[in-house]
Amino acid sequence: MAPHATESSTVEGFNGHGMEPVNAGEAPLEPGVKKSVAQGKMVEFPRPPKFDDKYKERDYLKGRLAAAFRIFGKNGFDEGVAGHITMRDPVEPDSFWVNPFGVAFSHINKSDLIRVGPNGKVVDGGDVRLLNTAAYMIHHAVHVARPDVVCAAHSHSIYGRTWCTLGRKLDTITQDACAFHNDHVTYNSFNGVVLVEKEGQDIAACLGNKKAALLQNHGLLTVGKTIEELMAEAAAAYTGQKLVIIDDEQAEYTKRTVGSPAAGWFNAKPMFDMIHRETQGAYLQ
């Protein structure tokens, strides 16, 4: 665990905008070490790649999106044909890539993904071009309302949808839950499958500038600046026992360590490495 910085020390780590100095009293992302120790070493810390060529960026991100579906499938975050993950297209940012409706998450390849324009029409992609209407209604609204969001994921995972029957936010009871401290909302309405534009807009409005929404009697919605960031986010089941809540100060401190986009990317990196090795890169086809 990264140590707290004292008034006379300086630590370095992720502050949510990449690898930059963190002032005394702020939380570094692990490893959190003194500047004198980290000097010349932190530049080697992994980070998302950057691209000058938007078409190369598109190709890379499509591969990561396909891997994300494989990870969802491996961990049981799919449920029949329900669920979807979208990625804003870097070439034409008013469009997004998504899974074709009815194709198993565990089988999705990069070439299977479909691109959806702002009018809800499939404009590019694989052989199966069936679009989940709910995916368009929710994700289009989110991508329009949040220009900072690159990716959005919606899941009907068993624990997620069970929690969402409670109509309440997550208690900050673990270190991992601190990532969502004051950074998620509950959408306290259920009007069936999201098939109309207004419902998607209402969900996006409720989400606001937060990273996650718990959709009542429905499932989970998370957003992020990288595909990997989404994979590191999860909800925990309620035990019904008396819980010890982390106090606000410590929760905010820990959130700066585990809740930044960079922290999310790094936490998810092992999952992507694992799926690549297990599939021998088959999802990149």
Side-chain angles (χ1 to χ4, degrees):
M1 187 72 184
H4 287 252
T6 63
E7 292 185 353
S8 61
S9 66
T10 303
V11 295
E12 289 197 356
F14 288 113
N15 68 357
H17 302 285
M19 189 70 66
E20 298 178 6
V22 176
N23 296 325
E26 293 186 359
L29 175 68
E30 291 184 312
V33 294
K34 292 182 179 180
K35 184 175 181 180
S36 60
V37 177
Q39 195 71 37
K41 297 180 181 178
M42 294 298 282
V43 293
E44 300 173 0
F45 206 73
R47 69 187 72 189
K50 295 183 179 179
F51 296 87
D52 295 324
D53 186 325
K54 292 297 183 182
Y55 287 93
K56 290 182 178 179
E57 182 178 6
R58 170 195 277 178
D59 186 68
Y60 171 81
L61 290 177
K62 285 177 62 182
R64 301 305 270 182
L65 182 57
F69 283 113
R70 296 289 187 110
I71 292 169
F72 261 44
K74 181 180 178 66
N75 289 281
F77 295 160
D78 53 348
E79 178 73 14
V81 298
H84 16 85
I85 312 174
T86 55
M87 175 201 81
R88 187 189 300 274
D89 183 61
V91 179
E92 298 184 34
D94 62 347
S95 65
F96 60 78
W97 295 87
V98 68
N99 50 305
F101 197 25
V103 177
F105 284 10
S106 297
H107 293 171
I108 286 181
N109 294 329
K110 180 171 66 174
S111 59
D112 294 320
L113 300 171
I114 57 176
R115 185 162 65 90
V116 182
N119 60 356
K121 301 295 184 182
V122 177
V123 297
D124 194 2
D127 294 335
V128 179
R129 297 197 171 190
L130 187 61
L131 173 64
N132 183 331
T133 301
Y136 170 74
M137 293 301 177
I138 296 173
H139 291 253
H140 173 68
V142 169
H143 283 293
V144 169
R146 292 281 300 275
D148 62 309
V149 166
V150 174
C151 301
H154 172 56
S155 172
H156 291 197
S157 62
I158 185 169
Y159 295 116
R161 69 174 185 263
T162 301
W163 178 272
C164 289
T165 64
L166 301 175
R168 53 175 290 185
K169 294 199 293 186
L170 299 174
D171 292 318
T172 308
I173 56 175
T174 68
Q175 176 175 293
D176 295 326
C178 291
F180 295 93
H181 185 70
N182 292 332
D183 206 10
H184 71 289
V185 299
T186 55
Y187 181 68
N188 295 318
S189 177
F190 179 73
N191 298 303
V193 180
V194 182
L195 299 178
V196 296
E197 188 174 11
K198 183 180 184 303
E199 182 79 0
Q201 292 172 343
D202 288 346
I203 290 173
C206 179
L207 176 66
N209 64 351
K210 306 300 185 183
K211 72 168 62 167
L214 309 181
L215 310 181
Q216 185 171 303
N217 304 110
H218 188 171
L220 307 174
L221 176 68
T222 57
V223 301
K225 296 181 179 180
T226 66
I227 297 167
E228 293 86 351
E229 183 183 346
L230 298 185
M231 300 301 103
E233 299 173 346
Y238 182 61
T239 65
Q241 299 177 6
K242 184 177 181 180
L243 304 174
V244 177
I245 307 298
I246 298 173
D247 69 72
D248 190 69
E249 181 180 358
Q250 290 301 318
E252 287 290 345
Y253 178 92
T254 306
K255 176 185 172 183
R256 293 198 296 271
T257 300
V258 302
S260 71
W265 178 88
F266 188 64
N267 274 310
K269 181 180 177 297
M271 289 188 283
F272 281 79
D273 293 343
M274 176 193 65
I275 212 72
H276 186 80
R277 175 170 292 188
E278 287 183 354
T279 66
Q280 297 184 347
Y283 61 92
L284 294 173
Q285 298 175 15

